[in-house]
Each structure stands twice: as C-alpha cells, then as structure tokens.
Amino acid sequence: LSLANIQELDDADVLAGYRSLFSLPPNTIYLDGNSLGAMPIGVTSRIKNTLEKEWSQDLILSWNTNNWIDLPLNVGEKIAPLIGASSGQVICTDTTSVNLFKLLATAMKLKPDRHEILSQIDNFPTDLYMAQGLAGMFPDNRLSVHTCTEDEISNTLSTDTLVLMLTHTNFRTGKIHDMKALTRLAHEKGALVIWDLSHSTGAMPIHLDACGVDMAVGCGYKYLNGGPGAPAFLYLTRSLQNKVSQPLSGWMGHEKPFDFNPLYDPGKGMRQYLCGTPSVLAMAGLDAALDIFATVDLQQIQSKSQQLGDLFISLVSQAHLDLNLISPTDGRLRGSQVSFTHPEGYSIMQALIAKGVIGDFREPDIMRFGFAPLYIRYADVEAAVTTMKNVIEEKAYFAPQYQMKNQVT
Ligand SMILES: *Cc1c(COP(=O)(O)O)cnc(C)c1O
C-alpha cells in the first residue's frame, strides 16, 4: 500500500469523525486503548459539573436530585446494548475482580453439588486469583480451580464443573473465543458460564442474551474509555436473578438500605450486586464516555479494527523486522489488538514510546499494540510501523534507559 492508498482509507473511514470527540496529545500515536482508553472530551465537562454543581452546590441532596443513587443501574443500562443484553441485567459497580468474586460465589450457591471452577491457564491472572481466593475460603474439596489450555477446554468440562470462566478476547494474543459454541458446550455439561469481556466491550458486537450466557463481567476503562480505574460492570441473566444472594452483601445491595435494618435482605434484580457506596465521580466520567457509543455501530467498529490490524500485520511483515506474530492473522478471530514477540520486546517498546508510539509490554516478550477504531487512523498505523522499523534497524533500543523495567509495563 502506498501512502496515497492509506490516505484513501482514512478518507473513506465512516468512523473518522469520532476522533474529534477525544482529547489526544500531539505527536503521539496511541496504540494502548485496549489498556487505558483515551479521554473523551465530554468527560471533562461532566466531571466538572459533578464537582462544581452537584457536589459543591447540591451537596448530599444530589443522591436524590441528581439521581446519584441510580447511577450504577443507569450506567449499566447504557452498557447493556453494547454487550447484547436486554434491560435489567447489567449493573455498573466495583472492579472486574470484585465482580468476578460476586458471580463465582453466586454460581456456587446456584449449583451446590458441583466443585470445580474451570478456566484457561493463560486467562488474565486476576480472574484466576479471584477464583483461587474464593476456593481458599472453604475446606478442601468444596471448591477447586482447574486450569487447562484453550484446546483442552471441551474435554476438561465435566459434570463436576460448576462454572466455565473464560475471557472472551485473550489479553496477550488478542484471540477471540467462540462465545456461542463454548457456552453451549458448558451448558451441555450442566455448568454455568462467566465471560470476562474486558478486552471485547466497545471493540466489537457481543451477544450475551443470544448466546444464552449466564454471567459476565468487564472493564470500564479499556475500550469504553471511562478513565483510569473506572468502575466495571456485571451481567446476570434474568432467569438466574433473585434465586440466591451474593456474599459481598453491603448496604447498597439491600432491598431497603435506608431502613437500616440489622438483617440483610438482598435487593431485587441487579441492585443486590452493589456492595458499598458507588464512586460517583468515577462513574460520572464513565457515564459521559459512554455517550459516544449511543450513535456508533459496533459492527463498523469491529470491521475497522480488523482492517487496522490487518494493515499493521502486513506492513510489519513487509518491513522484515524479525518479529514473531502471536495474534491470529484472520481478523475475524482477533480482537482490536495485535501482539508480536521479540526477545528485546521490552526495550523496543520503551524506545518506541520515547518516539511517541505508545503500546505496551507483557511478560515474557510480548509487544502489544491496540487499535481503538474510534480514534486511530490508518495513517497512524503506517507511521507506527515506520517508527518501529527505525527503532529496530538502528538498534536504538539498546540504549540503557530503555532496558530498565518500570513498575508498570
Ligand atoms: C483489564 C482486565 C481486568 C482488570 O480487572 P480490574 O479488577 O478492573 O483491575 C480483569 N480481567 C481481564 C480479562 C482484563 O483484561
């Protein structure tokens, strides 16, 4: 592809206009929207209003007058169409990790005669850690965490599997699971499923209801652009609601928190998945960020993400950089990210960042590049590869300042 061809791709891009809704630094190509989404401009005025009007002037009255109290449900309703959920099944609250704990415990109560959480060995570690934490609370054999490789999932599912807990888009490789097929497989064994949608939500259409999914969680600060540490979300299919209560039974999940009754009575529907007081400032930011998705077609987002990724893969291959692709070449099997391995991956990424191309690094040798279709242009992909070619060919990454590991990679 010539530069003129790349310009044509940007000119024909139906999503091109969305870039102006984001605040991006100059001279920077941001290929890490899969880890921390860029800041939508609308978030500033919303948080300013929450600070300067709602908090400063309306004070505690805001819980009623500015409806802070329903923010978790209302933001959940805004996320619902992005994950193929009809109304009343999604709530915005806490973190993905904490929400996994609530759902795993719910699964345990729904299926008391089953003993095993099954997950993938290369799942995002917090998912495995939360399962281990829950299992550790019970005497041996009540609950165990079993991990297997992707290929082993179907043969490892058994009639003792309580829940199959998987991440839809693999955070290392970007490979997408077949949600419908795996959900069906788990159900055939009588197990429940929990899908972690952290690296999928906002990057592609998802069909939780249509796939018959039981439970799901996901992140607010990746492709949803809710800001650092934005609250996460939790989905529980309607037919499993109000059957059992989850153990993080804080007052905000009580049916009548302001009755101050000493006995816990779980709220109806999704409300009982609240624990304590919601983080209003952070949730207001996410709420504003989600407005961008009101007019956007997720199918278009997915097609552009596939094209951006395809272009990146083909330009890197033409550049002969000795990088090893670990993401699927077939865009339909790939989330909105492309990963390569290289023994000097960490220092190459540091050198790239110094030149204004921001991706990230995952142990032991993975360079990860995310392509958030709402604000990444085809020309950015081309420029990123040119910079990478220079960094690698000039061996700029051998400079000592690029070798030193930061706390966050
Ligand atoms: C980013 C991510 C998380 C993050 O969890 P937090 O509790 O919000 O920090 C969890 N799971 C997956 C798969 C992720 O990609």
Side-chain angles (χ1 to χ4, degrees):
L1 277 171
S2 71
L3 284 178
N5 295 143
I6 285 169
Q7 188 57 50
E8 279 169 26
L9 289 173
D10 277 318
D11 291 343
D13 175 12
V14 291
L15 298 176
Y18 284 90
R19 184 177 163 88
S20 66
L21 301 178
F22 291 87
S23 167
L24 292 159
N27 307 318
T28 301
I29 297 175
Y30 188 58
L31 303 182
D32 216 354
N34 53 304
S35 221
L36 174 67
M39 193 188 92
I41 290 167
V43 168
T44 311
S45 53
R46 173 61 184 275
I47 290 192
K48 202 166 181 299
N49 185 61
T50 308
L51 288 172
E52 294 178 358
K53 180 188 177 291
E54 297 183 353
W55 179 14
S56 149
Q57 302 303 304
D58 302 345
L59 291 161
I60 201 166
L61 304 182
S62 281
W63 286 106
N64 292 309
T65 57
N66 295 307
N67 209 13
W68 285 353
I69 197 70
D70 286 328
L71 202 53
L73 285 171
N74 291 341
V75 175
E77 289 300 331
K78 245 174 170 169
I79 295 169
L82 305 180
I83 56 178
S86 64
S87 180
Q89 302 176 105
V90 183
I91 193 160
C92 178
T93 178
D94 297 321
T95 64
T96 304
S97 306
V98 170
N99 289 337
L100 274 168
F101 186 89
K102 297 176 205 167
L103 288 178
L104 287 167
T106 299
M108 257 184 106
K109 287 189 175 181
L110 287 168
K111 295 203 177 275
D113 53 337
R114 291 185 175 228
H115 306 96
E116 193 175 283
I117 298 170
L118 176 60
S119 192
Q120 205 174 315
I121 185 78
D122 56 342
N123 196 348
F124 192 94
T126 203
D127 299 38
L128 303 178
Y129 300 161
M130 294 311 291
Q132 290 160 16
L134 179 65
M137 292 175 63
F138 299 93
D140 283 356
N141 305 325
R142 170 61 190 97
L143 186 66
S144 63
V145 186
H146 193 98
T147 51
C148 65
T149 65
E150 180 186 349
D151 296 337
E152 290 165 349
I153 294 170
S154 62
N155 287 330
T156 311
L157 272 167
S158 78
T159 50
D160 200 32
T161 308
L162 163 65
V163 58
L164 175 62
M165 174 181 76
L166 294 174
T167 292
H168 183 234
T169 303
N170 186 291
F171 80 105
R172 291 188 184 87
T173 64
K175 188 172 181 195
I176 303 177
H177 274 304
D178 185 338
M179 179 181 287
K180 189 163 210 163
L182 283 162
T183 299
R184 182 171 348 103
L185 221 56
H187 286 171
E188 279 167 10
K189 294 283 183 198
L192 295 163
V193 287
I194 301 182
W195 284 102
D196 186 331
L197 306 174
S198 291
H199 274 89
S200 303
T201 316
M204 65 191 74
I206 296 161
H207 308 284
L208 293 182
D209 287 353
C211 292
V213 170
D214 304 297
M215 304 169 174
V217 293
C219 238
Y221 51 81
K222 292 170 178 165
Y223 297 105
L224 296 184
N225 313 307
F233 65 85
L234 178 159
Y235 162 97
L236 179 62
T237 193
R238 197 178 317 279
S239 63
L240 298 179
Q241 292 176 20
N242 306 320
K243 290 203 150 82
V244 297
S245 62
Q246 60 94 4
L248 299 184
S249 41
W251 71 308
M252 283 288 157
H254 192 280
E255 173 66 6
K256 293 194 170 133
F258 287 88
D259 277 6
F260 295 101
N261 197 309
L263 276 185
Y264 184 72
D265 176 19
K268 298 287 180 305
M270 295 312 292
R271 205 179 272 278
Q272 73 138 303
Y273 284 86
L274 288 176
C275 181
T277 308
S279 173
V280 172
L281 285 175
M283 211 174 292
L286 173 59
D287 191 21
L290 287 166
D291 284 342
I292 291 180
F293 287 93
T295 58
V296 79
D297 176 351
L298 288 166
Q299 194 58 62
Q300 285 176 346
I301 289 195
Q302 185 174 35
S303 327
K304 182 177 172 190
S305 106
Q306 290 171 359
Q307 288 176 53
L308 291 168
D310 287 349
L311 178 65
F312 187 68
I313 290 169
S314 89
L315 292 176
V316 168
S317 142
Q318 285 166 31
H320 301 292
L321 297 178
D322 230 5
L323 299 174
N324 176 40
L325 178 69
I326 58 164
S327 300
T329 46
D330 182 345
R332 292 167 301 181
L333 302 178
R334 198 177 61 227
S336 215
Q337 74 180 65
V338 173
S339 303
F340 290 97
T341 59
H342 186 287
E344 295 293 329
Y346 180 77
S347 39
I348 294 173
M349 187 55 80
Q350 290 304 306
L352 273 175
I353 291 170
K355 290 185 185 300
V357 177
I358 304 179
D360 62 20
F361 173 80
R362 288 295 175 260
E363 289 289 347
D365 56 2
I366 302 171
M367 298 161 67
R368 211 166 55 148
F369 301 90
F371 301 94
L374 292 176
Y375 48 87
I376 298 301
R377 300 165 295 197
Y378 293 93
D380 295 326
V381 173
E382 191 279 331
V385 177
T386 302
T387 305
M388 186 146 69
K389 191 168 158 65
N390 291 337
V391 161
I392 293 179
E393 287 181 353
E394 292 164 8
K395 302 208 183 295
Y397 56 90
F398 280 118
Q401 71 267 33
Y402 303 140
Q403 304 280 331
M404 226 166 42
K405 278 267 164 79
N406 289 320
Q407 254 192 82
V408 177
T409 62

